Structures are given as structure tokens and as C-alpha cells.
Amino acid sequence: MLVIVAPGQGAQLPGFLSPWLELPGLSEQFAAWSEVAGLDLVRYGTEAGAEEIRDTAVAQPLLVGAGIAAASAVLDLLSSPALPARDSLVDAVAGHSVGEFTAAAVAGVLSPEEALSLVAERGRGMADAAARTETGMTAVLGGVREDVLQAVEEAGLTAANDNGAGQIVAAGTTERLAAFAENPPPRVRLRPLPVAGAFHTEHMAPAVERVRAAANALSPQSPSTRLLSNADGAVVADGAEYVRRLVAQISSPVRWNACTQTLADLGVTALIELVPAGTLTGLAKRALRGVELLAVKTPDDVDRAAALIKEHAGTSAPSSTGQEG
């Protein structure tokens, strides 16, 4: 059983899009997507520095566009007249935070253009919300999970990401994060994250209504394969419900640990992480032992990804695991 996963914000690196634009048609595709997103995605993905692509309004559509392009490159190799629905060639799809928009496109809930239009609005809304108060996010690595969660709460912060594998992300005001860093829970390492605000917390509430209004204009389709939600790890079989969750997730915590547990329960045997890959395969090494992993970083990885799908993909019918909306 094979799952495709898409990383979240913070995974982007300067120039990471450059090798992908060498694939036939992708330069033109990104030019068109730039019009949809209202951003020069080609320039941001090839020439812009780390600080420019750290901008929430830039990073989010850039990541989603790159992930959709990589998934298409892989699935195109497997397409045939007998298998016209490329997005049904895998058994499950999941995304971390903004990666859920990539997942929605890969699973056919939204078209690439709809996903990019909506995520561009999300990026702008979250950037505006982040500018209202000085906030941030810090990864808390190691320690005892219960102790970490308690310490985060006592510090007046939110466990915005529960990633499993000994990683919880605390989010809130910079003042409270600084106080937390001075008195961390035992046996942990702290790593401030290169993001502009306290995502997936109450600080993002102003962005929710803005994105909901944009989402109401869309007509989501039912997913063609199992599609996992960050809210609770559930498989969601209704497209409208999945989009509703996408909007609500802006100001609520990401439960990647629950997604990982669902994948384990489903019996996943291989995991492919889309560009810019590395974060989620790193978590899976510890949380999904024995599962074959592939981080798709450049087009050189596309053939291996297609081969992995052929080797591991089983049935892609939506599962009854969890809430199906």
C-alpha cells in the first residue's frame, strides 16, 4: 500500500524549483499558475533568496505548485488508456498543513488552478494575520510527550503541530516563546522555525473567514483515493467536507501524528514525499519503521517514484477509516 505526502511551509529552499522547470511544459505551466496565484512563481522558485520565499504569501502557493507539478510528473509516467484517472493510482494522499492543498489537487478534490487560487488567498490572509501581532513557532524536539504538552500549555502557547516521532511545535507570541525558551521542559532541544507567525492557532482567526469566502465559490469533487485530514487523521470521502476542514485548519492544530497512525492502521508499505521533500520522510523513519521511503527532491527521483507506485500500490478505494464527512 502506497501513500503520497506533501510537506508544509518551511520546507522551501532557494532555487528548488529550477530543475523542475526543465521538464517539458512545466515552465509554461508555472507561468499560467503564476497568473492564477497573482505571483511570479517562476522567479520565486528559481531566483529569490531565502528571506523572500519565507514570506507566507509567497511560500504557500510556491510549495503547492511545486508539489502538484512533481505529482503530475510521476503519475504521467503511469497513465494509460486503461487507467485514465491518474489520481486513483495511489492508495492514499496526505499533506502537512499547507501540503493539504497539494493533497486535495492530487486526489482530484480541487483542480490545480482551484488549489492554487485558494492557497494564494490563504497565504495572503495568514500573512496579514501574522502582521497584527509578533508571533512565531518553535519546534520542541525530544522529551516526554505529556511533559512537553503540559509545558507548552502552561507557557500560554499552543501545540500547533503534533508531528509525532518526538516533535511538537509550540506557537504563540514571541514574548511567550522567549520565556518558554528560558525554561523549557526537561531533555528537549528547541529550534525556532522560519515562519512568519503562529500558524494553526487563534492568531490566524482573521484569515479563516477570508479563505472561507473564497472556498464557497468552489465546487469540490469527491476524492478518487483515500484522503487524510490533519484535523484528526481521518480519511475524508467527501470533497466539500475536506475543503471545510482545509479552512478550519488555518486556526486549529495540525495532528500529523494522527495521520501517521492512520497510515500505520491502513498498512502502508511505501511513502513518497513530494518536493521539497525531506521533512515528512524524516518523521516517517521514526514513526513508520519498515516502510519504504522516497523523498522526491529533483526530477531525477521521478522514475524511482513511479516504480515504487507500481511495486506497492494496491487498492485505492476510499477507506471507511475515521470520519468520511
Side-chain angles (χ1 to χ4, degrees):
M1 179 174 179
L2 182 136
V3 61
I4 288 179
V5 298
Q9 193 169 338
Q12 69 275 11
L13 295 169
F16 80 95
L17 190 59
S18 294
W20 293 94
L21 296 181
E22 297 177 6
L23 294 180
L26 271 192
S27 182
E28 294 79 6
Q29 182 67 81
F30 267 90
W33 286 347
S34 292
E35 293 292 326
V36 172
L39 292 165
D40 188 347
L41 297 177
V42 173
R43 189 188 77 78
Y44 282 117
T46 59
E47 301 175 8
E51 192 60 29
E52 278 192 278
I53 62 174
R54 180 178 179 268
D55 182 344
T56 302
V58 171
Q60 295 192 8
L62 181 60
L63 285 164
V64 171
I68 294 172
S72 294
V74 173
L75 296 175
D76 280 346
L77 292 181
L78 300 169
S79 297
S80 72
L83 293 170
R86 300 180 317 157
D87 44 16
S88 66
L89 297 174
V90 297
D91 302 306
V93 183
H96 187 286
S97 187
V98 73
E100 287 200 298
F101 286 76
T102 309
V106 174
V109 170
L110 299 174
S111 71
E113 291 74 21
E114 287 173 329
L116 282 162
S117 175
L118 190 59
V119 80
E121 191 66 18
R122 181 188 193 261
R124 289 188 289 265
M126 292 175 72
D128 289 348
R132 300 187 182 197
T133 307
E134 289 290 330
T135 60
M137 306 179 81
T138 296
V140 186
L141 309 174
V144 177
R145 182 174 184 276
E146 292 73 18
D147 293 344
V148 171
L149 291 173
Q150 181 177 347
V152 169
E153 182 178 0
E154 290 177 350
L157 301 169
T158 300
N161 295 168
D162 190 342
N163 290 329
Q167 184 186 114
I168 291 170
V169 176
T173 65
T174 52
E175 181 181 0
R176 289 179 175 176
L177 285 170
F180 180 73
E182 292 178 1
N183 186 31
R187 300 186 299 281
V188 303
R189 291 181 294 112
L190 303 182
R191 188 180 74 221
L193 299 181
V195 295
F199 304 150
H200 303 294
T201 72
E202 62 184 358
H203 296 284
M204 293 294 109
V208 173
E209 288 306 318
R210 177 173 177 169
V211 179
R212 181 175 288 124
N216 286 341
L218 304 178
S219 299
Q221 304 300 305
S222 296
S224 59
T225 188
R226 299 176 183 88
L227 184 57
L228 277 61
S229 169
N230 282 179
D232 50 13
V235 174
V236 181
D238 179 82
E241 168 65 10
Y242 190 78
V243 172
R244 186 195 69 76
R245 286 171 171 243
L246 284 182
V247 175
Q249 200 74 57
I250 293 170
S251 61
S252 59
V254 169
R255 293 288 312 281
W256 188 252
N257 63 322
C259 290
T260 300
Q261 185 58 56
T262 297
L263 294 176
D265 292 344
L266 289 171
V268 65
T269 57
L271 179 148
I272 295 172
E273 182 181 2
L274 299 174
V275 64
T279 301
L280 300 182
T281 46
L283 291 171
K285 284 179 183 178
R286 298 185 290 276
L288 293 171
R289 296 188 183 277
V291 171
E292 189 166 356
L293 308 174
L294 176 64
V296 175
K297 297 183 178 183
T298 74
D300 292 340
D301 300 313
V302 167
D303 286 343
R304 175 59 187 141
L308 206 62
I309 292 173
K310 286 183 178 179
E311 181 181 353
H312 286 270
T315 174
S316 58
S319 164
S320 61
T321 300
Q323 172 67 39
E324 295 202 14

